[in-house]
Amino acid sequence: YNNTQIVVYDCGHAKHAEYVEAFLESSPSISSVYIVVSHNDSDHTNGVCKFLGWLYDQGKYAVKVYTHQYLKHVDTILDKVDDGRRNRESLKKALLAEFDNIKAIIETAKSYSFSCIEALSGTVVGNCTIVGPTIDEFTDVAAKAVDNRESNKIGEGQAEETVMNAASVQLKCTFSNGENILLCGDASPDYLKDLKSYDYIQLPHHGQVDDA
């Protein structure tokens, strides 16, 4: 955050939302709120809709939500599934069911007339930048998530992750002193790049030992 804007990365619980709400109440100069949702799992999303409702009730914030928008890539994902049984409409339904929390967040944000922006690599979010995954990586993940012929796991042993975790949206943030931090949600280490360019790296998946 700075004097005019704050970037919120995930919000997994109502208590997390309340913490940020209290911070904003004590920071009256902040007028822009950017929310980055890393992936669909409930422990990263459950507080987001509550937080959006609070922001709407305040009536004074410019709000933008950044997350994967899988339906924009339905044709690419359909080609990757390629099971001969699905058509475009059935795949869209499967994607909405699989990524249900993201669907609810996007619908809630739009109901409040907040901006919803696709979390593509290279997208600038306040003083941060989305650095992964690539379109090819997250569409691969979406295809595996809805294809019952494929395992929904990536990695091996204790570092094994669900595909949903693996392609978490990764955010590079720069502090006022010029140091960089990588926020990576539950991303599999295989998806993390240029790690030497960061001063701080959030350990993926809550510090799971093999990932660390």
Side-chain angles (χ1 to χ4, degrees), residues 17 21 53 77 84-85 89-90 92 103 105-106 124 136 165 168 173 200-201:
E21 291 160 13
I77 297 168
R85 297 180 295 111
E89 289 307 308
S90 68
K92 286 169 68 174
K103 173 179 179 285
I105 289 168
I106 291 174
V124 174
D136 192 52
N165 287 345
S168 296
C173 299
Y200 306 96
I201 300 168

mmCIF file with all atom_site columns, all heavy atoms in Angstrom, residues 17 21 53 77 84-85 89-90 92 103 105-106 124 136 165 168 173 200-201:
data_model
loop_
_atom_site.group_PDB
_atom_site.id
_atom_site.type_symbol
_atom_site.label_atom_id
_atom_site.label_alt_id
_atom_site.label_comp_id
_atom_site.label_asym_id
_atom_site.label_entity_id
_atom_site.label_seq_id
_atom_site.pdbx_PDB_ins_code
_atom_site.Cartn_x
_atom_site.Cartn_y
_atom_site.Cartn_z
_atom_site.occupancy
_atom_site.B_iso_or_equiv
_atom_site.pdbx_formal_charge
_atom_site.auth_seq_id
_atom_site.auth_comp_id
_atom_site.auth_asym_id
_atom_site.auth_atom_id
_atom_site.pdbx_PDB_model_num
ATOM 1   N N   . ALA A 1 17  ? -10.836 -10.259 5.936   1.00 0.00 ? 17  ALA A N   1
ATOM 2   C CA  . ALA A 1 17  ? -11.537 -9.090  5.398   1.00 0.00 ? 17  ALA A CA  1
ATOM 3   C C   . ALA A 1 17  ? -11.678 -8.005  6.466   1.00 0.00 ? 17  ALA A C   1
ATOM 4   O O   . ALA A 1 17  ? -11.440 -6.822  6.203   1.00 0.00 ? 17  ALA A O   1
ATOM 5   C CB  . ALA A 1 17  ? -12.907 -9.507  4.873   1.00 0.00 ? 17  ALA A CB  1
ATOM 6   N N   . GLU A 1 21  ? -10.455 -4.149  6.370   1.00 0.00 ? 21  GLU A N   1
ATOM 7   C CA  . GLU A 1 21  ? -11.452 -3.094  6.553   1.00 0.00 ? 21  GLU A CA  1
ATOM 8   C C   . GLU A 1 21  ? -11.017 -2.122  7.656   1.00 0.00 ? 21  GLU A C   1
ATOM 9   O O   . GLU A 1 21  ? -11.112 -0.895  7.499   1.00 0.00 ? 21  GLU A O   1
ATOM 10  C CB  . GLU A 1 21  ? -12.808 -3.726  6.887   1.00 0.00 ? 21  GLU A CB  1
ATOM 11  C CG  . GLU A 1 21  ? -13.418 -4.487  5.722   1.00 0.00 ? 21  GLU A CG  1
ATOM 12  C CD  . GLU A 1 21  ? -14.478 -5.491  6.136   1.00 0.00 ? 21  GLU A CD  1
ATOM 13  O OE1 . GLU A 1 21  ? -14.928 -5.450  7.298   1.00 0.00 ? 21  GLU A OE1 1
ATOM 14  O OE2 . GLU A 1 21  ? -14.845 -6.337  5.291   1.00 0.00 ? 21  GLU A OE2 1
ATOM 15  N N   . GLY A 1 53  ? -18.488 -6.520  -0.524  1.00 0.00 ? 53  GLY A N   1
ATOM 16  C CA  . GLY A 1 53  ? -19.719 -5.914  -0.021  1.00 0.00 ? 53  GLY A CA  1
ATOM 17  C C   . GLY A 1 53  ? -19.428 -4.728  0.881   1.00 0.00 ? 53  GLY A C   1
ATOM 18  O O   . GLY A 1 53  ? -20.111 -3.685  0.805   1.00 0.00 ? 53  GLY A O   1
ATOM 19  N N   . ILE A 1 77  ? -8.857  -24.342 -24.115 1.00 0.00 ? 77  ILE A N   1
ATOM 20  C CA  . ILE A 1 77  ? -9.005  -25.442 -23.150 1.00 0.00 ? 77  ILE A CA  1
ATOM 21  C C   . ILE A 1 77  ? -9.704  -26.627 -23.809 1.00 0.00 ? 77  ILE A C   1
ATOM 22  O O   . ILE A 1 77  ? -9.323  -27.787 -23.588 1.00 0.00 ? 77  ILE A O   1
ATOM 23  C CB  . ILE A 1 77  ? -9.777  -24.956 -21.906 1.00 0.00 ? 77  ILE A CB  1
ATOM 24  C CG1 . ILE A 1 77  ? -8.970  -23.866 -21.193 1.00 0.00 ? 77  ILE A CG1 1
ATOM 25  C CG2 . ILE A 1 77  ? -10.063 -26.122 -20.951 1.00 0.00 ? 77  ILE A CG2 1
ATOM 26  C CD1 . ILE A 1 77  ? -9.755  -23.116 -20.132 1.00 0.00 ? 77  ILE A CD1 1
ATOM 27  N N   . GLY A 1 84  ? -13.341 -35.703 -27.394 1.00 0.00 ? 84  GLY A N   1
ATOM 28  C CA  . GLY A 1 84  ? -14.359 -36.099 -28.366 1.00 0.00 ? 84  GLY A CA  1
ATOM 29  C C   . GLY A 1 84  ? -15.773 -36.117 -27.824 1.00 0.00 ? 84  GLY A C   1
ATOM 30  O O   . GLY A 1 84  ? -16.716 -36.400 -28.553 1.00 0.00 ? 84  GLY A O   1
ATOM 31  N N   . ARG A 1 85  ? -15.921 -35.801 -26.532 1.00 0.00 ? 85  ARG A N   1
ATOM 32  C CA  . ARG A 1 85  ? -17.251 -35.852 -25.922 1.00 0.00 ? 85  ARG A CA  1
ATOM 33  C C   . ARG A 1 85  ? -17.788 -34.473 -25.549 1.00 0.00 ? 85  ARG A C   1
ATOM 34  O O   . ARG A 1 85  ? -18.989 -34.286 -25.474 1.00 0.00 ? 85  ARG A O   1
ATOM 35  C CB  . ARG A 1 85  ? -17.215 -36.724 -24.647 1.00 0.00 ? 85  ARG A CB  1
ATOM 36  C CG  . ARG A 1 85  ? -16.858 -38.184 -24.923 1.00 0.00 ? 85  ARG A CG  1
ATOM 37  C CD  . ARG A 1 85  ? -16.839 -39.003 -23.638 1.00 0.00 ? 85  ARG A CD  1
ATOM 38  N NE  . ARG A 1 85  ? -15.784 -38.573 -22.732 1.00 0.00 ? 85  ARG A NE  1
ATOM 39  C CZ  . ARG A 1 85  ? -15.977 -37.960 -21.568 1.00 0.00 ? 85  ARG A CZ  1
ATOM 40  N NH1 . ARG A 1 85  ? -17.212 -37.678 -21.165 1.00 0.00 ? 85  ARG A NH1 1
ATOM 41  N NH2 . ARG A 1 85  ? -14.966 -37.628 -20.798 1.00 0.00 ? 85  ARG A NH2 1
ATOM 42  N N   . GLU A 1 89  ? -20.209 -25.501 -25.045 1.00 0.00 ? 89  GLU A N   1
ATOM 43  C CA  . GLU A 1 89  ? -21.140 -25.151 -23.972 1.00 0.00 ? 89  GLU A CA  1
ATOM 44  C C   . GLU A 1 89  ? -20.981 -26.062 -22.766 1.00 0.00 ? 89  GLU A C   1
ATOM 45  O O   . GLU A 1 89  ? -21.038 -25.599 -21.617 1.00 0.00 ? 89  GLU A O   1
ATOM 46  C CB  . GLU A 1 89  ? -22.576 -25.189 -24.497 1.00 0.00 ? 89  GLU A CB  1
ATOM 47  C CG  . GLU A 1 89  ? -22.908 -24.064 -25.459 1.00 0.00 ? 89  GLU A CG  1
ATOM 48  C CD  . GLU A 1 89  ? -22.579 -22.681 -24.896 1.00 0.00 ? 89  GLU A CD  1
ATOM 49  O OE1 . GLU A 1 89  ? -23.031 -22.394 -23.766 1.00 0.00 ? 89  GLU A OE1 1
ATOM 50  O OE2 . GLU A 1 89  ? -21.855 -21.922 -25.566 1.00 0.00 ? 89  GLU A OE2 1
ATOM 51  N N   . SER A 1 90  ? -20.781 -27.361 -22.995 1.00 0.00 ? 90  SER A N   1
ATOM 52  C CA  . SER A 1 90  ? -20.619 -28.265 -21.861 1.00 0.00 ? 90  SER A CA  1
ATOM 53  C C   . SER A 1 90  ? -19.312 -27.984 -21.123 1.00 0.00 ? 90  SER A C   1
ATOM 54  O O   . SER A 1 90  ? -19.239 -28.117 -19.897 1.00 0.00 ? 90  SER A O   1
ATOM 55  C CB  . SER A 1 90  ? -20.677 -29.728 -22.315 1.00 0.00 ? 90  SER A CB  1
ATOM 56  O OG  . SER A 1 90  ? -19.549 -30.074 -23.094 1.00 0.00 ? 90  SER A OG  1
ATOM 57  N N   . LYS A 1 92  ? -17.895 -24.990 -20.895 1.00 0.00 ? 92  LYS A N   1
ATOM 58  C CA  . LYS A 1 92  ? -18.126 -23.770 -20.121 1.00 0.00 ? 92  LYS A CA  1
ATOM 59  C C   . LYS A 1 92  ? -18.808 -24.091 -18.797 1.00 0.00 ? 92  LYS A C   1
ATOM 60  O O   . LYS A 1 92  ? -18.422 -23.580 -17.738 1.00 0.00 ? 92  LYS A O   1
ATOM 61  C CB  . LYS A 1 92  ? -18.962 -22.774 -20.933 1.00 0.00 ? 92  LYS A CB  1
ATOM 62  C CG  . LYS A 1 92  ? -18.185 -22.099 -22.046 1.00 0.00 ? 92  LYS A CG  1
ATOM 63  C CD  . LYS A 1 92  ? -19.075 -21.332 -22.999 1.00 0.00 ? 92  LYS A CD  1
ATOM 64  C CE  . LYS A 1 92  ? -19.696 -20.124 -22.375 1.00 0.00 ? 92  LYS A CE  1
ATOM 65  N NZ  . LYS A 1 92  ? -20.436 -19.315 -23.372 1.00 0.00 ? 92  LYS A NZ  1
ATOM 66  N N   . LYS A 1 103 ? -15.985 -17.778 -9.868  1.00 0.00 ? 103 LYS A N   1
ATOM 67  C CA  . LYS A 1 103 ? -17.240 -17.377 -10.516 1.00 0.00 ? 103 LYS A CA  1
ATOM 68  C C   . LYS A 1 103 ? -18.048 -16.468 -9.586  1.00 0.00 ? 103 LYS A C   1
ATOM 69  O O   . LYS A 1 103 ? -18.540 -15.409 -9.997  1.00 0.00 ? 103 LYS A O   1
ATOM 70  C CB  . LYS A 1 103 ? -18.059 -18.616 -10.880 1.00 0.00 ? 103 LYS A CB  1
ATOM 71  C CG  . LYS A 1 103 ? -19.462 -18.338 -11.415 1.00 0.00 ? 103 LYS A CG  1
ATOM 72  C CD  . LYS A 1 103 ? -20.162 -19.652 -11.757 1.00 0.00 ? 103 LYS A CD  1
ATOM 73  C CE  . LYS A 1 103 ? -21.586 -19.433 -12.264 1.00 0.00 ? 103 LYS A CE  1
ATOM 74  N NZ  . LYS A 1 103 ? -22.513 -19.083 -11.161 1.00 0.00 ? 103 LYS A NZ  1
ATOM 75  N N   . ILE A 1 105 ? -16.991 -14.655 -7.069  1.00 0.00 ? 105 ILE A N   1
ATOM 76  C CA  . ILE A 1 105 ? -16.311 -13.377 -6.857  1.00 0.00 ? 105 ILE A CA  1
ATOM 77  C C   . ILE A 1 105 ? -16.526 -12.444 -8.043  1.00 0.00 ? 105 ILE A C   1
ATOM 78  O O   . ILE A 1 105 ? -16.829 -11.253 -7.874  1.00 0.00 ? 105 ILE A O   1
ATOM 79  C CB  . ILE A 1 105 ? -14.809 -13.623 -6.617  1.00 0.00 ? 105 ILE A CB  1
ATOM 80  C CG1 . ILE A 1 105 ? -14.599 -14.256 -5.239  1.00 0.00 ? 105 ILE A CG1 1
ATOM 81  C CG2 . ILE A 1 105 ? -14.005 -12.326 -6.751  1.00 0.00 ? 105 ILE A CG2 1
ATOM 82  C CD1 . ILE A 1 105 ? -13.216 -14.807 -5.019  1.00 0.00 ? 105 ILE A CD1 1
ATOM 83  N N   . ILE A 1 106 ? -16.376 -12.969 -9.260  1.00 0.00 ? 106 ILE A N   1
ATOM 84  C CA  . ILE A 1 106 ? -16.566 -12.135 -10.448 1.00 0.00 ? 106 ILE A CA  1
ATOM 85  C C   . ILE A 1 106 ? -18.007 -11.626 -10.516 1.00 0.00 ? 106 ILE A C   1
ATOM 86  O O   . ILE A 1 106 ? -18.259 -10.440 -10.796 1.00 0.00 ? 106 ILE A O   1
ATOM 87  C CB  . ILE A 1 106 ? -16.184 -12.912 -11.720 1.00 0.00 ? 106 ILE A CB  1
ATOM 88  C CG1 . ILE A 1 106 ? -14.664 -13.138 -11.757 1.00 0.00 ? 106 ILE A CG1 1
ATOM 89  C CG2 . ILE A 1 106 ? -16.637 -12.164 -12.973 1.00 0.00 ? 106 ILE A CG2 1
ATOM 90  C CD1 . ILE A 1 106 ? -14.199 -14.023 -12.901 1.00 0.00 ? 106 ILE A CD1 1
ATOM 91  N N   . VAL A 1 124 ? -0.110  -4.888  -14.700 1.00 0.00 ? 124 VAL A N   1
ATOM 92  C CA  . VAL A 1 124 ? 0.291   -4.047  -13.581 1.00 0.00 ? 124 VAL A CA  1
ATOM 93  C C   . VAL A 1 124 ? -0.896  -3.879  -12.633 1.00 0.00 ? 124 VAL A C   1
ATOM 94  O O   . VAL A 1 124 ? -2.016  -3.599  -13.060 1.00 0.00 ? 124 VAL A O   1
ATOM 95  C CB  . VAL A 1 124 ? 0.779   -2.676  -14.078 1.00 0.00 ? 124 VAL A CB  1
ATOM 96  C CG1 . VAL A 1 124 ? 1.062   -1.735  -12.909 1.00 0.00 ? 124 VAL A CG1 1
ATOM 97  C CG2 . VAL A 1 124 ? 2.030   -2.840  -14.938 1.00 0.00 ? 124 VAL A CG2 1
ATOM 98  N N   . ASP A 1 136 ? -0.586  -20.406 -21.343 1.00 0.00 ? 136 ASP A N   1
ATOM 99  C CA  . ASP A 1 136 ? -0.455  -21.835 -21.638 1.00 0.00 ? 136 ASP A CA  1
ATOM 100 C C   . ASP A 1 136 ? -0.476  -22.660 -20.357 1.00 0.00 ? 136 ASP A C   1
ATOM 101 O O   . ASP A 1 136 ? -1.087  -23.732 -20.304 1.00 0.00 ? 136 ASP A O   1
ATOM 102 C CB  . ASP A 1 136 ? 0.843   -22.084 -22.406 1.00 0.00 ? 136 ASP A CB  1
ATOM 103 C CG  . ASP A 1 136 ? 0.901   -23.487 -22.988 1.00 0.00 ? 136 ASP A CG  1
ATOM 104 O OD1 . ASP A 1 136 ? -0.062  -23.890 -23.672 1.00 0.00 ? 136 ASP A OD1 1
ATOM 105 O OD2 . ASP A 1 136 ? 1.907   -24.178 -22.757 1.00 0.00 ? 136 ASP A OD2 1
ATOM 106 N N   . ASN A 1 165 ? -3.945  -25.498 -7.275  1.00 0.00 ? 165 ASN A N   1
ATOM 107 C CA  . ASN A 1 165 ? -2.888  -24.795 -6.552  1.00 0.00 ? 165 ASN A CA  1
ATOM 108 C C   . ASN A 1 165 ? -1.752  -24.391 -7.470  1.00 0.00 ? 165 ASN A C   1
ATOM 109 O O   . ASN A 1 165 ? -1.227  -23.278 -7.402  1.00 0.00 ? 165 ASN A O   1
ATOM 110 C CB  . ASN A 1 165 ? -2.302  -25.688 -5.455  1.00 0.00 ? 165 ASN A CB  1
ATOM 111 C CG  . ASN A 1 165 ? -3.233  -25.867 -4.272  1.00 0.00 ? 165 ASN A CG  1
ATOM 112 O OD1 . ASN A 1 165 ? -4.191  -25.123 -4.114  1.00 0.00 ? 165 ASN A OD1 1
ATOM 113 N ND2 . ASN A 1 165 ? -2.940  -26.858 -3.453  1.00 0.00 ? 165 ASN A ND2 1
ATOM 114 N N   . SER A 1 168 ? -1.456  -20.961 -9.392  1.00 0.00 ? 168 SER A N   1
ATOM 115 C CA  . SER A 1 168 ? -1.862  -19.748 -8.673  1.00 0.00 ? 168 SER A CA  1
ATOM 116 C C   . SER A 1 168 ? -1.282  -18.499 -9.336  1.00 0.00 ? 168 SER A C   1
ATOM 117 O O   . SER A 1 168 ? -0.146  -18.511 -9.818  1.00 0.00 ? 168 SER A O   1
ATOM 118 C CB  . SER A 1 168 ? -1.363  -19.792 -7.227  1.00 0.00 ? 168 SER A CB  1
ATOM 119 O OG  . SER A 1 168 ? -1.936  -20.848 -6.497  1.00 0.00 ? 168 SER A OG  1
ATOM 120 N N   . CYS A 1 173 ? 5.786   -7.615  -5.986  1.00 0.00 ? 173 CYS A N   1
ATOM 121 C CA  . CYS A 1 173 ? 5.551   -6.295  -5.400  1.00 0.00 ? 173 CYS A CA  1
ATOM 122 C C   . CYS A 1 173 ? 6.881   -5.655  -5.028  1.00 0.00 ? 173 CYS A C   1
ATOM 123 O O   . CYS A 1 173 ? 7.802   -6.338  -4.575  1.00 0.00 ? 173 CYS A O   1
ATOM 124 C CB  . CYS A 1 173 ? 4.677   -6.407  -4.150  1.00 0.00 ? 173 CYS A CB  1
ATOM 125 S SG  . CYS A 1 173 ? 3.040   -7.098  -4.484  1.00 0.00 ? 173 CYS A SG  1
ATOM 126 N N   . TYR A 1 200 ? 12.604  -11.299 -1.251  1.00 0.00 ? 200 TYR A N   1
ATOM 127 C CA  . TYR A 1 200 ? 11.765  -12.114 -0.378  1.00 0.00 ? 200 TYR A CA  1
ATOM 128 C C   . TYR A 1 200 ? 10.846  -12.969 -1.236  1.00 0.00 ? 200 TYR A C   1
ATOM 129 O O   . TYR A 1 200 ? 10.351  -12.511 -2.268  1.00 0.00 ? 200 TYR A O   1
ATOM 130 C CB  . TYR A 1 200 ? 10.905  -11.245 0.551   1.00 0.00 ? 200 TYR A CB  1
ATOM 131 C CG  . TYR A 1 200 ? 11.697  -10.254 1.359   1.00 0.00 ? 200 TYR A CG  1
ATOM 132 C CD1 . TYR A 1 200 ? 11.832  -8.939  0.926   1.00 0.00 ? 200 TYR A CD1 1
ATOM 133 C CD2 . TYR A 1 200 ? 12.331  -10.637 2.541   1.00 0.00 ? 200 TYR A CD2 1
ATOM 134 C CE1 . TYR A 1 200 ? 12.580  -8.026  1.653   1.00 0.00 ? 200 TYR A CE1 1
ATOM 135 C CE2 . TYR A 1 200 ? 13.070  -9.727  3.271   1.00 0.00 ? 200 TYR A CE2 1
ATOM 136 C CZ  . TYR A 1 200 ? 13.188  -8.423  2.830   1.00 0.00 ? 200 TYR A CZ  1
ATOM 137 O OH  . TYR A 1 200 ? 13.937  -7.516  3.538   1.00 0.00 ? 200 TYR A OH  1
ATOM 138 N N   . ILE A 1 201 ? 10.624  -14.193 -0.812  1.00 0.00 ? 201 ILE A N   1
ATOM 139 C CA  . ILE A 1 201 ? 9.715   -15.093 -1.523  1.00 0.00 ? 201 ILE A CA  1
ATOM 140 C C   . ILE A 1 201 ? 8.787   -15.739 -0.500  1.00 0.00 ? 201 ILE A C   1
ATOM 141 O O   . ILE A 1 201 ? 9.260   -16.353 0.468   1.00 0.00 ? 201 ILE A O   1
ATOM 142 C CB  . ILE A 1 201 ? 10.484  -16.191 -2.291  1.00 0.00 ? 201 ILE A CB  1
ATOM 143 C CG1 . ILE A 1 201 ? 11.425  -15.569 -3.328  1.00 0.00 ? 201 ILE A CG1 1
ATOM 144 C CG2 . ILE A 1 201 ? 9.507   -17.145 -2.981  1.00 0.00 ? 201 ILE A CG2 1
ATOM 145 C CD1 . ILE A 1 201 ? 12.417  -16.558 -3.929  1.00 0.00 ? 201 ILE A CD1 1
#
